[in-house]
Amino acid sequence: MAAAGELTGKVALVTGGAGGVGSAVVGLLAQRGATVYLNCFHSFAAGRKQAEELTAAGHDVRVLRGSVGKPDHVERMIAEIAATSGRLDVLVNNAALGLFGSAATLTEDDIDRTWNINVKGPLRCSQAARQLMAAGGGGSIVNLSSIGSTRVLRDYLAIGLSKAALESLTRYLAVEFAAEGIRVNTASGGLLDTPGARMFPDSSGFADVMADRTPFGRLGQADEIAEVVGFLASDRSVWMTGQTVTADGGLGLPLGTFGRGGQEPAAAPAESPDAAPSATVPTETALGHDPIVVVGMGLAAPGVNSPDEFWQALCDGPALFSEAAPDRWQTSAFAPGRRDVPDKGYQPVSGIIADFRPHYRLAAEPDADRDFNTVWLRHSLFQALESVTRRADDRFSMSVGLTCDGSQHRGEHFLVESVLLALTESGTMTEDQLRTVKDALLKRFPRAASTRTLPHDIAADAIEGILPAATPVFVVDTACSSSLYALDRAVRDLRDGRADIAVCGGSHAQRVANMVAFAQLGGLSPTGEVRALDETSDGVLFADGAGILVLKRLSRAVADGDQVHGIISGVGLSADGKGKAINAPSTPGQVAAARRALADAGVEAGEVGLVIAHATGTPAGDTAELLGIAEVYNGQHPVPVVANKSIIGHTGWAAGALSLIHLLLTMRHGHIPAQPRFTKLRDKVAEQASHLTVPREPMAWPRPLEPGNVEGPRIGAVSGFGFGGTNATVIVSEYLPQHAIPAPPERPDHSGDPLVIVGWSKCEPDGLDYGEQFPMPPFESVRMPPKLVRSLDRSQLLAIQCVHALPAQVLEFCSAHRDTTGVIVGFMGQTQAMGDIVLRTHLDDIADVLAAEPIPGLPRFLEEFQEAVQTSTPPLSADSYPGAMPNLIASRICNYFDLRGLNLLVDTGETALLQVFQAAEDYLRSGDLDLALVAGMSANAVPAWSSEVRGDDARPVAEGAYLFAVTRESVARAAGLDILTRMETSIGEPA
């Protein structure tokens, strides 16, 4: 019988220790007194969580991140154990790769990858540990096998071969290592009730058959096989070596055709001759080779409430634009047809969600005063999850593109709060008069009563009661590419094992201030229609909209029987850098994102058969994008290019998600709808892009023919870019179960390279804030024309000054590595400049409301209020909108210093800076960046903002900016950068 402390003083290493059997073994060895090193690679977050829980319970568990498939990782892990513990007594080789399939469906690469992890992995771990174990007087090595080593299981060929070899390896190592006092044995189990077992094709039916063939009538549990490992690790097995100890619940007993109780068991499910061969399905230990797929999608946009309705609109091509109804807004902020009226827009037409039909589950919820974005996201999420299989222990993540500027509720709340605070401070109103004015304002701006209108609140409310309460939420703002950046985060959550199901998307609600500010750029269509890609395109029309996608690893999707809409093969991100101007789309920046996506996918540009363009309908934007598409996808065949903004408008932060749904629907139907209102390309584009075709009539999208006249999968691309030069491209492949999915190129992995801070800076006011007027920075620190500087929000100016204040060697590194230096900023809510724009564009509305109230002193107050707003805020110009958008804080740094890696803003409330560091770790460890400029900023202390976020007078809102230069230790040492400290984060774990 095992003694509670029989492993006290022992040191153990368990590979693949973050889930299933590995987790059970780690727990058992720790509880019996061992110091346990929990090794994991993709399931790092889960491993850290388990280690923290066991440590909190009084045990000694430490996490080692590394892949047993990489010799340098193995050597580093053993070296760290030697350095920190000085000995190793137990090695449990549990990490394994499970690629399911038959001889007909498995490739040589599948066999090689399985062999590398399942056979060579234990061998290299044993060889690396041998000297350290011998120095301590010997020890025990336990290899984990399965019954597939001696029995034939359907679609188990690659795993079965490797497990049979592992048991043979055990015997050879037992003989060779005996001289050092090291025992080597194998623990083998039957089918266990673990997540790995559920990766089997038809896992539930197979599990029933296997359970019925045991005398006990059930599957084994992870802790039961862990007991066998514990025995072989202890001195109770001191006279055993070279053995395979099987614990299969009697599955191997010769029961004939009868199972438990003499009942004839159900036959194993037979594979129909007409059935498609089983897909290659990796287990959780091979997440990097397990494709990410879309298993659910939902949306809301002007005139469409579901993907099916969206498809019909794409086929019919209507223009779904109108002026807002009076219940949406009443405003005199537009002067249709005129561009010479200060602070007014010339185009009131846009894409409005006016005929919204909520999902039945949303319709059944109690009425609540919710932000439009919350409502549309919940609707889309309910839709997207309708046919997705979920399990009780699934870990979810939520990544969503949102901005404070994309909420009509937030704009109205800020506006009314600003007026009421100014009235209160004026001291001219009684309490009754204030209530009267407030009621009048709320009648004009009814959504001002809403309080849950900040991006992190919207995201949290959108998933409440739908996803688990502990679901981590990541809110990203890269303007109109936001939902594609959110998709990138979701893909990383799955690739790195932080989630089992990842939800991503974006949402945007129209508001007057944005329409007027963008009109000052001259970018809105004066004709009230969008002619994307056409030579006569004259501008964009923005729109309400939301889109949600649900992602899984292919292995899970197949095991769950989910519909696979498509494979996310690759994602590429980039920043424009200097470019022509911060608000001018850049062909080189978009080309860089597309080429990074193709490289990530391992797809040749000529294989792409359709591009869904961002195509806003502005002449400059469409021309720059089409020239970039022509440069990248320059193959042997014509490349169709289409877009959807001519139908539903530009849905802003949701646009990328809707374009991805557009592509998936087109892939499903094998049919490309005609591009609405298209006649011909601009001459400049036609001359340089003769191989691009924009269909004027519907056209088929046939599958490409591969050698042997076999149909291959369709491959398409989605292009997206955002204001400030935030580019994204996604490569999507059709899922064909009978078609072998090639492994992507090996992605860089720097998980073993510690992150370090090599420089930092700060900008702080003398008191709590910089006052009503931000002091004009010296020209040396912000080399821009004074007129432009006055139009920039203080947050952008602080960001530039913080970068200037970094050590010279860091700035030199940034300059020498522009393509791999990125900027990630944490910020909360709206900028002060955007608040000023909201007030300035609604001054006439405020005047209409207050003029109707016969209250003494109100006219004088209105006059002073208008004067104060107009004095403190310059008239709207072409610089106003880019000077006020939150995501431009990060973009301004990239533009000013010509950095082209990527840039994004994270708005998760008071946790934003922590999320920014976690995002930086993600990009640095994956090799997308070599250096990240990580910033946290507070630059809005105006009363209407402070009164909401402060909470109480003891926590006043202060201003300040803090910036850190983060890189990998190897990069810092190679570049001679001074290392200030190492850092470590915990990506994706709930607070």
Side-chain angles (χ1 to χ4, degrees), residues 575-613:
D576 280 349
K578 186 74 70 180
K580 297 178 182 177
I582 199 164
N583 61 333
S586 164
T587 295
Q590 294 172 32
V591 166
R595 287 181 170 157
R596 289 172 186 177
L598 290 166
D600 185 46
V603 168
E604 297 293 331
E607 298 178 73
V608 173
L610 173 66
V611 177
I612 308 296

Side-chain angles (χ1 to χ4, degrees), residues 276-350:
S278 300
T280 300
V281 186
T283 67
E284 61 182 356
T285 56
L287 303 180
H289 301 294
D290 196 354
I292 308 303
V293 298
V294 179
V295 293
M297 49 190 181
L299 62 84
V304 295
N305 288 278
S306 69
D308 288 341
E309 291 183 12
F310 186 32
W311 175 249
Q312 193 60 52
L314 291 169
C315 292
D316 296 343
L320 299 170
F321 305 107
S322 64
E323 291 192 35
D327 65 343
R328 184 67 186 268
W329 59 63
Q330 301 177 50
T331 182
S332 54
F334 298 107
R338 296 185 60 185
R339 302 195 189 197
D340 59 343
V341 182
D343 300 333
K344 294 190 184 295
Y346 55 82
Q347 181 52 270
V349 169
S350 63

Side-chain angles (χ1 to χ4, degrees), residues 192 200 376 470 539 593 639 790 938:
L192 302 176
F200 273 80
W376 300 334
V639 180
R790 282 192 292 271
S938 174

Side-chain angles (χ1 to χ4, degrees), residues 14 51 61 88 131 173 197 235 265 321 375 378 473 490 525 639 641 643 697 708 760 774 876 893 941 947 987:
V14 181
V61 179
L88 180 62
Q131 184 176 354
L173 292 184
D235 290 340
F321 305 107
V375 174
R378 285 183 74 80
V473 176
S525 167
V639 180
V641 181
E697 299 292 335
W760 76 285
F774 188 72
L876 299 188
I893 294 175
S947 63
I987 297 177

Side-chain angles (χ1 to χ4, degrees), residues 310 483-484 504-506 546-549 653-662 718:
F310 186 32
S483 55
L484 296 184
C504 60
I548 285 290
L549 297 140
W653 281 245
L658 293 177
S659 288
L660 184 52
I661 293 173
H662 181 169
V718 172

